[in-house]
Amino acid sequence: MACLETFLTVLTGGKMEEEFISGFCRTKNAGNTVCCEYSLAQGSRKLEFMDCLYEKCIHKGACEIYKEAHRLEQEN
């Protein structure tokens, strides 16, 4: 993950934030804490990475962790 973080930091000009979101994961059928990385540019945040493979998750539509990650993307 360090290589990915370095790549994202260089790609976004060095301005990144991490958020850790905890909630219930239906795929794991257990609680889960997900690290989310956001790039910062011109006062906005963009979700760059979530360490739970949400792109392929069959429960993405109902996932509260996914929804919270995108809600945080909209906050300034």
Side-chain angles (χ1 to χ4, degrees):
M1 182 148 76
C3 291
L4 177 61
E5 288 175 16
T6 302
F7 174 73
L8 288 174
T9 301
V10 170
L11 183 66
T12 61
K15 298 177 182 167
M16 298 288 293
E17 281 186 355
E18 285 185 340
E19 297 277 354
F20 293 89
I21 303 169
S22 295
F24 184 77
C25 176
R26 289 175 137 188
T27 300
K28 291 183 176 182
N29 197 29
N32 193 23
T33 300
V34 176
C35 176
C36 301
E37 295 181 353
Y38 298 88
S39 62
L40 305 174
Q42 293 132 7
S44 66
R45 299 171 105 191
K46 181 180 177 196
L47 181 62
E48 299 287 350
F49 175 74
M50 286 179 69
D51 69 350
C52 68
L53 300 175
Y54 71 94
E55 297 99 348
K56 297 179 181 181
C57 183
I58 62 171
H59 300 293
K60 178 171 66 173
C63 180
E64 294 300 320
I65 297 172
Y66 176 83
K67 290 176 187 175
E68 179 68 6
H70 285 280
R71 186 189 69 75
L72 290 171
E73 183 176 42
Q74 304 304 314
E75 284 187 357
N76 289 332

